[in-house]
Amino acid sequence: MAHIALVTGGIGGIGTAICVRLAREGRTVIANCHPSEVEAAESWQQARAAEGLTIPVIAADVASFADCARMVREIEAQFGPVDILVNCAGITRDKTFKKMEPSHWEAVINVNLNSVFNVTRQVWEGMLERGFGRIINISSVNGQRGQFGQANYAAAKAGMHGFTMSLAQEGAAKGVTVNTVSPGYIETAMTLAMDEGVRNSIINGIPMRRMGRPEEVAAAVAFLASDESAYITGANLQINGGLFMH
Ligand code: CAA
């Protein structure tokens, strides 16, 4: 079961919990970070070491196909082929649509959606050839229901699940499963960056009246990465405290 897992956006709020969870299960976990985060990644690694975990970090811009190709070739050379890919890298550029500039649109589509092509394309053929693979795409409740101020983000996150359902069909007969996880509002820097008043009104609208914890997302990812989930593919698992029921 010592599969090799790559987690993009691995040093972020949800990414960290996923890395920690998979590593505690005995997997070899490689965390991807953006090239601008290399310094932060060093203290991140020290924090993981203090928890008894060794998690290598590799910097690459997931918005760049060429950089993703380089990253995955380096991982393969050093650790072996990637069996589990968690596409978790994501950003927000929240704006009402009348204020949304092309740069806000492009940044979010490139990092949140094009990245899924850029990284998955590097590992896909190997998974098919080996007859095993797990792809888990971290989407969002707002890709399922839309959100005021997030036309770019919701479009990218909804697109991820279209990608999931298509690849799930291509991988199904080859032992490769592809699933989406759609978290609701989770306690991370991304949700903390929201205006406090907006955040509180969102929390009031969540049936559980609280935000989720990154570990609650990581537990679902660990299940979808496991051998036990072999018959689940093309699913969209929502983890949102009842905010949206599909
Ligand atoms: N529904 C309807 N109207 C709304 C509204 C809503 N949800 N929210 C704001 N408005 C209205 C305001 O009442 C105001 O109306 P008036 O002009 O009539 O007074 C108007 O919209 C404000 O428009 P502005 O263009 O001036 O907006 P702003 O610049 O003040 O704020 C925003 C825009 C930054 C997008 C803000 O609405 C916001 O933060 N929204 C929340 C976005 C959000 O949920 N982001 C999630 C981040 S976390 C994440 O993305 C993780 C995940 O997957 C869940």
Side-chain angles (χ1 to χ4, degrees), residues 139-219:
S139 179
S140 165
V141 64
N142 292 344
Q144 298 180 289
R145 58 158 206 170
Q147 170 62 36
F148 188 100
Q150 286 201 308
N152 48 2
Y153 185 87
K157 293 297 190 180
M160 286 176 100
H161 190 56
F163 176 87
T164 289
M165 292 187 291
S166 301
L167 248 61
Q169 294 181 31
E170 294 189 26
K174 310 272 184 185
V176 182
T177 68
V178 187
N179 291 290
T180 298
V181 169
S182 288
Y185 285 78
I186 307 297
E187 287 166 357
T188 64
M190 187 182 272
T191 51
L192 261 181
M194 293 166 64
D195 172 82
E196 200 182 346
V198 174
R199 193 169 64 245
N200 287 337
S201 78
I202 287 171
I203 293 172
N204 285 335
I206 300 171
M208 287 193 190
R209 297 283 189 272
R210 67 169 178 92
M211 293 217 265
R213 288 183 288 110
E215 293 73 20
E216 291 173 314
V217 178

Side-chain angles (χ1 to χ4, degrees), residues 25 27 84 132 134 136 221-230:
E25 291 185 354
R27 301 183 192 278
I84 299 163
F132 180 88
R134 295 282 185 271
I136 300 148
V221 171
F223 172 62
L224 290 173
S226 73
D227 293 347
E228 284 173 309
S229 70

Side-chain angles (χ1 to χ4, degrees), residues 43-242:
S43 40
W44 184 91
Q45 270 187 300
Q46 284 164 11
R48 301 292 79 75
E51 296 166 347
L53 301 172
T54 306
I55 304 182
V57 181
I58 184 159
D61 180 358
V62 291
S64 156
F65 186 80
D67 213 20
C68 291
R70 178 202 47 88
M71 167 175 72
V72 172
R73 299 295 87 83
E74 277 181 32
I75 292 169
E76 287 169 345
Q78 212 178 330
F79 303 98
V82 174
D83 302 302
I84 299 163
L85 169 63
V86 186
N87 284 309
C88 187
I91 59 169
T92 53
R93 294 288 183 274
D94 294 355
K95 300 276 168 198
T96 49
F97 194 60
K98 66 183 176 190
K99 294 181 183 167
M100 195 175 283
E101 300 293 337
S103 62
H104 303 132
W105 176 265
E106 281 157 19
V108 169
I109 297 296
N110 282 336
V111 175
N112 296 13
L113 181 60
N114 290 339
S115 63
V116 171
F117 172 81
N118 293 338
V119 187
T120 309
R121 189 67 186 79
Q122 315 301 335
V123 302
W124 183 249
E125 279 162 77
M127 287 180 176
L128 296 181
E129 278 160 21
R130 292 189 303 279
F132 180 88
R134 295 282 185 271
I135 310 271
I136 300 148
N137 296 319
I138 308 300
S139 179
S140 165
V141 64
N142 292 344
Q144 298 180 289
R145 58 158 206 170
Q147 170 62 36
F148 188 100
Q150 286 201 308
N152 48 2
Y153 185 87
K157 293 297 190 180
M160 286 176 100
H161 190 56
F163 176 87
T164 289
M165 292 187 291
S166 301
L167 248 61
Q169 294 181 31
E170 294 189 26
K174 310 272 184 185
V176 182
T177 68
V178 187
N179 291 290
T180 298
V181 169
S182 288
Y185 285 78
I186 307 297
E187 287 166 357
T188 64
M190 187 182 272
T191 51
L192 261 181
M194 293 166 64
D195 172 82
E196 200 182 346
V198 174
R199 193 169 64 245
N200 287 337
S201 78
I202 287 171
I203 293 172
N204 285 335
I206 300 171
M208 287 193 190
R209 297 283 189 272
R210 67 169 178 92
M211 293 217 265
R213 288 183 288 110
E215 293 73 20
E216 291 173 314
V217 178
V221 171
F223 172 62
L224 290 173
S226 73
D227 293 347
E228 284 173 309
S229 70
Y231 203 57
I232 302 176
T233 198
N236 189 352
L237 182 56
Q238 55 207 23
I239 306 173
N240 61 32

